[in-house]
Amino acid sequence: METKKRLSREQKREKSVVDLINQMFIIAGHNVTYDDILGVKDWFREYTMTVEQSEEFKKWGKKYLMKELRKTAKSAEREMMWFNVQWGLTYSNWEDYHKSKETKK
């Protein structure tokens, strides 16, 4: 029987980026994976997601990071904010979302 080799901390982080990008595309409704965008410059500008989809993705990502990388809730939230800045998709409804928040005040 073959034993399963443990991943190093760096390998876990690399795997988490791939998993997060793949899940981001799933939540955003795009039929694309990390392998499809590998080597494509400015791929994050070609695809969009709504603000609501982004919030759903951040919740999913926080749970994922807490489980897989054993992050605290605060650390996982911070990590998701950095992920969004670095690899997040453009919002397709930012102006509409922002206007609706203004009218609710």
Side-chain angles (χ1 to χ4, degrees), residues 36-51:
D36 296 332
I37 54 113
L38 195 60
V40 177
K41 188 177 178 186
D42 295 339
W43 60 268
F44 47 87
R45 292 187 183 156
E46 293 180 31
Y47 303 97
T48 62
M49 69 187 333
T50 65
V51 176

Side-chain angles (χ1 to χ4, degrees), residues 50-99:
T50 65
V51 176
E52 295 81 11
Q53 288 170 332
S54 176
E55 293 302 317
E56 179 185 344
F57 171 64
K58 287 177 194 174
K59 285 180 190 174
W60 183 90
K62 177 183 170 184
K63 287 179 186 175
Y64 173 86
L65 292 173
M66 289 172 66
K67 181 180 177 192
E68 297 298 320
L69 299 183
R70 299 180 184 240
K71 298 262 184 197
T72 64
K74 190 73 171 171
S75 176
E77 284 177 22
R78 194 175 310 118
E79 194 77 24
M80 286 306 295
M81 284 192 275
W82 279 111
F83 180 91
N84 196 36
V85 168
Q86 204 165 8
W87 292 294
L89 301 179
T90 307
Y91 295 137
S92 60
N93 69 334
W94 176 251
E95 287 154 9
D96 295 336
Y97 178 80
H98 188 65
K99 284 178 187 175

